[in-house]
PDB file of all heavy atoms in Angstrom:
ATOM      1  N   GLU B   4      67.884 105.919  79.882  1.00 98.00           N
ATOM      2  CA  GLU B   4      68.024 107.382  80.007  1.00 98.00           C
ATOM      3  C   GLU B   4      67.714 108.076  78.668  1.00 98.00           C
ATOM      4  O   GLU B   4      67.176 109.184  78.632  1.00 98.00           O
ATOM      5  CB  GLU B   4      69.443 107.793  80.424  1.00 98.00           C
ATOM      6  CG  GLU B   4      70.014 106.994  81.577  1.00 98.00           C
ATOM      7  CD  GLU B   4      70.704 105.723  81.098  1.00 98.00           C
ATOM      8  OE1 GLU B   4      71.854 105.809  80.633  1.00 98.00           O
ATOM      9  OE2 GLU B   4      70.084 104.627  81.178  1.00 98.00           O
ATOM     10  N   THR B   5      68.100 107.417  77.577  1.00 98.00           N
ATOM     11  CA  THR B   5      67.807 108.000  76.264  1.00 98.00           C
ATOM     12  C   THR B   5      66.298 108.055  76.036  1.00 98.00           C
ATOM     13  O   THR B   5      65.752 109.079  75.620  1.00 98.00           O
ATOM     14  CB  THR B   5      68.466 107.159  75.141  1.00 98.00           C
ATOM     15  OG1 THR B   5      69.850 106.967  75.456  1.00 98.00           O
ATOM     16  CG2 THR B   5      68.348 107.860  73.801  1.00 98.00           C
ATOM     17  N   LEU B   6      65.641 106.941  76.334  1.00 98.00           N
ATOM     18  CA  LEU B   6      64.189 106.877  76.162  1.00 98.00           C
ATOM     19  C   LEU B   6      63.493 107.909  77.056  1.00 98.00           C
ATOM     20  O   LEU B   6      62.517 108.559  76.645  1.00 98.00           O
ATOM     21  CB  LEU B   6      63.700 105.459  76.486  1.00 98.00           C
ATOM     22  CG  LEU B   6      62.229 105.172  76.222  1.00 98.00           C
ATOM     23  CD1 LEU B   6      61.830 105.542  74.801  1.00 98.00           C
ATOM     24  CD2 LEU B   6      61.928 103.683  76.459  1.00 98.00           C
ATOM     25  N   GLU B   7      64.022 108.094  78.250  1.00 98.00           N
ATOM     26  CA  GLU B   7      63.421 109.093  79.154  1.00 98.00           C
ATOM     27  C   GLU B   7      63.592 110.506  78.609  1.00 98.00           C
ATOM     28  O   GLU B   7      62.712 111.360  78.773  1.00 98.00           O
ATOM     29  CB  GLU B   7      64.014 108.966  80.560  1.00 98.00           C
ATOM     30  CG  GLU B   7      63.292 107.888  81.368  1.00 98.00           C
ATOM     31  CD  GLU B   7      64.035 107.479  82.631  1.00 98.00           C
ATOM     32  OE1 GLU B   7      65.040 108.138  82.975  1.00 98.00           O
ATOM     33  OE2 GLU B   7      63.610 106.487  83.258  1.00 98.00           O
ATOM     34  N   ARG B   8      64.703 110.745  77.945  1.00 98.00           N
ATOM     35  CA  ARG B   8      64.917 112.064  77.328  1.00 98.00           C
ATOM     36  C   ARG B   8      63.903 112.293  76.198  1.00 98.00           C
ATOM     37  O   ARG B   8      63.358 113.381  76.047  1.00 98.00           O
ATOM     38  CB  ARG B   8      66.348 112.149  76.786  1.00 98.00           C
ATOM     39  CG  ARG B   8      66.684 113.510  76.216  1.00 98.00           C
ATOM     40  CD  ARG B   8      68.140 113.578  75.791  1.00 98.00           C
ATOM     41  NE  ARG B   8      68.494 114.886  75.260  1.00 98.00           N
ATOM     42  CZ  ARG B   8      69.702 115.208  74.837  1.00 98.00           C
ATOM     43  NH1 ARG B   8      70.688 114.317  74.906  1.00 98.00           N
ATOM     44  NH2 ARG B   8      69.954 116.411  74.342  1.00 98.00           N
ATOM     45  N   VAL B   9      63.681 111.239  75.413  1.00 98.00           N
ATOM     46  CA  VAL B   9      62.689 111.310  74.327  1.00 98.00           C
ATOM     47  C   VAL B   9      61.299 111.610  74.894  1.00 98.00           C
ATOM     48  O   VAL B   9      60.573 112.462  74.373  1.00 98.00           O
ATOM     49  CB  VAL B   9      62.681 109.976  73.530  1.00 98.00           C
ATOM     50  CG1 VAL B   9      61.480 109.905  72.591  1.00 98.00           C
ATOM     51  CG2 VAL B   9      63.987 109.824  72.742  1.00 98.00           C
ATOM     52  N   ARG B  10      60.965 110.926  75.992  1.00 98.00           N
ATOM     53  CA  ARG B  10      59.642 111.146  76.602  1.00 98.00           C
ATOM     54  C   ARG B  10      59.526 112.549  77.200  1.00 98.00           C
ATOM     55  O   ARG B  10      58.493 113.205  77.086  1.00 98.00           O
ATOM     56  CB  ARG B  10      59.414 110.113  77.708  1.00 98.00           C
ATOM     57  CG  ARG B  10      59.154 108.723  77.149  1.00 98.00           C
ATOM     58  CD  ARG B  10      59.213 107.668  78.253  1.00 98.00           C
ATOM     59  NE  ARG B  10      58.887 106.345  77.725  1.00 98.00           N
ATOM     60  CZ  ARG B  10      59.169 105.202  78.339  1.00 98.00           C
ATOM     61  NH1 ARG B  10      59.813 105.216  79.500  1.00 98.00           N
ATOM     62  NH2 ARG B  10      58.838 104.052  77.789  1.00 98.00           N
ATOM     63  N   ARG B  11      60.587 112.997  77.867  1.00 98.00           N
ATOM     64  CA  ARG B  11      60.565 114.306  78.516  1.00 98.00           C
ATOM     65  C   ARG B  11      60.389 115.410  77.468  1.00 98.00           C
ATOM     66  O   ARG B  11      59.699 116.396  77.700  1.00 98.00           O
ATOM     67  CB  ARG B  11      61.860 114.508  79.305  1.00 98.00           C
ATOM     68  CG  ARG B  11      61.767 115.581  80.370  1.00 98.00           C
ATOM     69  CD  ARG B  11      62.947 115.516  81.349  1.00 98.00           C
ATOM     70  NE  ARG B  11      64.231 115.450  80.664  1.00 98.00           N
ATOM     71  CZ  ARG B  11      65.091 114.433  80.745  1.00 98.00           C
ATOM     72  NH1 ARG B  11      64.834 113.379  81.491  1.00 98.00           N
ATOM     73  NH2 ARG B  11      66.241 114.463  80.077  1.00 98.00           N
ATOM     74  N   PHE B  12      61.031 115.223  76.305  1.00 97.00           N
ATOM     75  CA  PHE B  12      60.924 116.206  75.226  1.00 97.00           C
ATOM     76  C   PHE B  12      59.457 116.447  74.864  1.00 97.00           C
ATOM     77  O   PHE B  12      59.005 117.600  74.750  1.00 97.00           O
ATOM     78  CB  PHE B  12      61.699 115.717  73.993  1.00 97.00           C
ATOM     79  CG  PHE B  12      61.646 116.667  72.832  1.00 97.00           C
ATOM     80  CD1 PHE B  12      62.489 117.768  72.771  1.00 97.00           C
ATOM     81  CD2 PHE B  12      60.740 116.474  71.799  1.00 97.00           C
ATOM     82  CE1 PHE B  12      62.440 118.662  71.703  1.00 97.00           C
ATOM     83  CE2 PHE B  12      60.677 117.364  70.728  1.00 97.00           C
ATOM     84  CZ  PHE B  12      61.532 118.452  70.682  1.00 97.00           C
ATOM     85  N   THR B  13      58.702 115.378  74.683  1.00 97.00           N
ATOM     86  CA  THR B  13      57.276 115.491  74.349  1.00 97.00           C
ATOM     87  C   THR B  13      56.471 116.066  75.510  1.00 97.00           C
ATOM     88  O   THR B  13      55.636 116.959  75.323  1.00 97.00           O
ATOM     89  CB  THR B  13      56.707 114.100  73.983  1.00 97.00           C
ATOM     90  OG1 THR B  13      57.438 113.598  72.870  1.00 97.00           O
ATOM     91  CG2 THR B  13      55.236 114.185  73.598  1.00 97.00           C
ATOM     92  N   ASP B  14      56.744 115.562  76.696  1.00 97.00           N
ATOM     93  CA  ASP B  14      55.987 116.009  77.886  1.00 97.00           C
ATOM     94  C   ASP B  14      56.156 117.508  78.123  1.00 97.00           C
ATOM     95  O   ASP B  14      55.160 118.220  78.333  1.00 97.00           O
ATOM     96  CB  ASP B  14      56.469 115.250  79.128  1.00 97.00           C
ATOM     97  CG  ASP B  14      55.984 113.805  79.112  1.00 97.00           C
ATOM     98  OD1 ASP B  14      55.084 113.490  78.315  1.00 97.00           O
ATOM     99  OD2 ASP B  14      56.518 112.999  79.893  1.00 97.00           O
ATOM    100  N   GLU B  15      57.396 117.978  78.103  1.00 97.00           N
ATOM    101  CA  GLU B  15      57.653 119.383  78.417  1.00 97.00           C
ATOM    102  C   GLU B  15      56.970 120.329  77.436  1.00 97.00           C
ATOM    103  O   GLU B  15      56.620 121.449  77.770  1.00 97.00           O
ATOM    104  CB  GLU B  15      59.162 119.664  78.415  1.00 97.00           C
ATOM    105  CG  GLU B  15      59.879 119.067  79.622  1.00 97.00           C
ATOM    106  CD  GLU B  15      61.381 119.320  79.602  1.00 97.00           C
ATOM    107  OE1 GLU B  15      61.899 119.766  78.542  1.00 97.00           O
ATOM    108  OE2 GLU B  15      62.046 119.075  80.614  1.00 97.00           O
ATOM    109  N   ARG B  16      56.805 119.862  76.202  1.00 96.00           N
ATOM    110  CA  ARG B  16      56.161 120.694  75.180  1.00 96.00           C
ATOM    111  C   ARG B  16      54.648 120.444  75.078  1.00 96.00           C
ATOM    112  O   ARG B  16      53.969 121.032  74.246  1.00 96.00           O
ATOM    113  CB  ARG B  16      56.837 120.441  73.822  1.00 96.00           C
ATOM    114  CG  ARG B  16      58.177 121.166  73.726  1.00 96.00           C
ATOM    115  CD  ARG B  16      59.166 120.530  72.794  1.00 96.00           C
ATOM    116  NE  ARG B  16      60.495 121.122  72.976  1.00 96.00           N
ATOM    117  CZ  ARG B  16      61.315 120.793  74.001  1.00 96.00           C
ATOM    118  NH1 ARG B  16      60.952 119.888  74.889  1.00 96.00           N
ATOM    119  NH2 ARG B  16      62.491 121.397  74.101  1.00 96.00           N
TER     120      ARG B  16
END
Side-chain angles (χ1 to χ4, degrees):
Chain B
E4 313 87 79
T5 309
L6 186 53
E7 276 166 8
R8 184 176 181 179
V9 168
R10 287 168 177 163
R11 199 166 50 243
F12 180 81
T13 301
D14 287 346
E15 287 179 348
R16 283 153 192 78

